Amino acid sequence: MGAVATPAGLLLRPYRGEQDVPDIVRVENLEAVADSLPERSNVEDMTAHFALRSESFDARRDVTIAEMDGRVVAFGIRSVVDTTDGLREYRLNGSVDPAWRRRGIGRTLLLDNERRLRDLAYAEHGASQRVFGSWSGESQTGRAALMGTAGYGPARYFFDMVRPNLDAIEEVPMPEGLEIRPIGPDLTRAVWDADIESFRDHWGGFDHSDEQLQRWLSSPSNDLSLWLVAFDGNEIAGGIINSIDPHQNEAMGFRRGWLSSVFTRRQWRRRGLARALIARSLALLRDRGMTSAALGVDAENPSGALGLYEGMGFGVNYRATAWRKPFQQ
């Protein structure tokens, strides 16, 4: 991308703590509105996410704030994951207040993100092959152009899928020998491990740490009573981590529940378990007052999930691109 001059008056500074969260949420939501993204952030969830430190993400290390004349106009954010295709991916992202676009702030933050991630990588020992990673939504044409100019290429595509109503939900029997049991705090670690194991043959990367588990559980929108987990004796066969985000629903003007993670462990696949759990999840979300449901899926999911979801009434609502760039560029 070449050298980029820092815009006159732009100050990049470290994240200072919870006091910065409202401005980060404000900038991210302004960008979401301008780019027609089907999501919104809120202070409570972001505060919980930033509160815990892990090897993968530490807000005081991995968030940079951009100011103009003392006003927060943008931020950069970074994390590190080991991927299922044998890479150590240094992920970077960020948002710019739409009122401050076209001034080089996004390019400046991208280069700053890369510099900081290189410094982090070179301080590590024994790392796998290293790549930069990022992502953009289909309506974010400016971000996609920036990625291309900076030497990133599309690596994978993902879909958000929506079932627009929760009427006429199919009744699907559970596979023989499996039963759904309630999940309390004592079982969350077992569900977490089963979920991660189920996605080891899928593209991407996951932070398996205890800190990430606590980050996940500490989200205000987390509700264990929405989790549907199937057991075969004492073994977890599969499950769906359902969630309802009241802040996002209010901001977007709908009543939507999310099937945030749909997983089946390998030895229980091809028995109709996922379909049975999806049907029960839709009914559960309907009973909680939701009128639509959504989930995310890898466009090249190896287990045929896309066809399964379409068969359960979901359609593609939004597309996103995962980008990668070798460290050498």
Side-chain angles (χ1 to χ4, degrees), residues 32-320:
V33 171
D35 290 347
S36 301
L37 297 178
E39 60 190 19
R40 298 292 185 270
S41 299
N42 66 80
V43 170
E44 291 82 357
D45 275 334
M46 191 165 289
T47 298
H49 181 72
F50 282 11
L52 291 170
R53 301 182 182 186
S54 67
E55 179 186 351
S56 172
F57 175 74
D58 178 345
R60 292 188 180 274
R61 180 193 69 189
D62 297 325
V63 177
T64 298
I65 304 296
E67 294 182 343
M68 293 288 279
D69 299 322
R71 178 174 175 79
V72 176
V73 298
F75 68 91
I77 188 167
R78 303 167 292 278
S79 62
V80 185
V81 297
D82 293 314
T83 70
T84 56
D85 53 342
L87 304 175
R88 189 158 175 84
E89 187 170 84
Y90 294 80
R91 294 178 177 173
L92 54 94
N93 198 9
S95 296
V96 179
D97 183 333
W100 291 88
R101 287 178 174 175
R102 310 291 184 263
R103 305 186 191 206
I105 295 173
R107 288 192 297 274
T108 298
L109 277 171
L110 175 59
L111 288 175
D112 183 73
N113 275 338
E114 288 186 349
R115 178 183 64 79
R116 294 176 187 275
L117 286 171
R118 279 197 178 96
D119 289 346
L120 178 63
Y122 296 150
E124 297 176 337
H125 301 284
S128 308
Q129 181 181 348
R130 296 161 171 146
V131 295
F132 289 117
S134 191
W135 54 94
S136 66
E138 63 181 338
S139 56
Q140 295 183 293
T141 55
R143 179 172 294 188
L146 177 60
M147 290 290 103
T149 301
Y152 290 74
R156 201 79 164 191
Y157 298 96
F158 293 83
F159 300 148
D160 277 357
M161 303 184 74
V162 170
R163 178 175 165 133
N165 65 71
L166 298 180
D167 304 327
I169 297 170
E170 180 182 359
E171 292 188 14
V172 182
M174 286 287 291
E176 185 177 353
L178 304 186
E179 65 174 356
I180 295 173
R181 298 177 193 162
I183 301 299
D186 59 316
L187 287 172
T188 56
R189 179 82 224 189
V191 176
W192 166 262
D193 290 342
D195 193 349
I196 289 172
E197 177 193 307
S198 299
F199 283 96
R200 283 181 179 156
D201 56 354
H202 291 57
W203 191 91
F206 313 97
D207 178 355
H208 303 173
S209 69
D210 289 339
E211 292 85 358
Q212 183 63 16
L213 171 60
Q214 292 307 312
R215 187 177 282 135
W216 183 40
L217 294 174
S218 67
S219 169
S221 58
N222 178 54
D223 181 351
L224 296 182
S225 71
L226 291 173
W227 296 19
L228 293 181
V229 180
F231 287 77
D232 185 348
N234 292 325
E235 290 281 342
I236 293 174
I240 300 182
I241 309 303
N242 296 301
S243 62
I244 295 171
D245 186 337
H247 297 283
Q248 180 157 275
N249 281 349
E250 181 179 1
M252 300 295 292
F254 47 49
R255 287 181 287 159
R256 180 166 295 164
W258 278 81
L259 286 67
S260 299
S261 183
V262 181
F263 68 94
T264 306
R265 296 174 68 193
R266 181 181 294 274
Q267 57 266 48
W268 287 279
R269 291 177 184 172
R270 311 299 179 190
R271 295 174 56 183
L273 176 57
R275 181 180 293 275
L277 289 171
I278 291 170
R280 284 160 176 77
S281 293
L282 296 175
L284 176 59
L285 293 173
R286 180 195 59 201
D287 293 345
R288 295 292 183 92
M290 300 300 102
T291 58
S292 64
L295 50 78
V297 63
D298 180 344
E300 300 177 45
N301 182 292
S303 63
L306 184 62
L308 168 64
Y309 300 149
E310 289 174 335
M312 297 298 291
F314 289 84
V316 174
N317 182 60
Y318 195 77
R319 296 166 175 82

